Amino acid sequence: MRSTTMDDAPRLGLPLEWPEPQANCGVCQALARQRAEAAVRNDQSRVSDCNVEIRNHHAARQRRRRQ
């Protein structure tokens, strides 16, 4: 006989803090504006997308320079 019980619920960590955009970067500033507008609309998916882009924007450029 097969078991029909459900798996345990996934355990999620706390959301990460919003990253600070670099003041001298137009791309970061534009993403920060888009993030603020998305937050007003309660579009948490877009807020998260913007946070990821801000967080990774300069990290990706630094990785390319090292190669």
Side-chain angles (χ1 to χ4, degrees), residues 25-64:
C25 177
V27 172
C28 287
Q29 293 302 312
L31 287 166
R33 282 191 298 276
Q34 291 174 27
R35 177 180 64 187
E37 292 165 2
V40 168
R41 293 190 313 270
N42 200 27
D43 184 352
Q44 296 304 312
S45 177
R46 183 66 185 138
V47 168
S48 177
D49 290 346
C50 290
N51 284 339
V52 169
E53 289 186 55
I54 291 169
R55 195 173 285 117
N56 293 333
H57 177 67
H58 289 278
R61 296 172 86 194
Q62 289 172 353
R63 280 193 302 268
R64 273 187 262 137

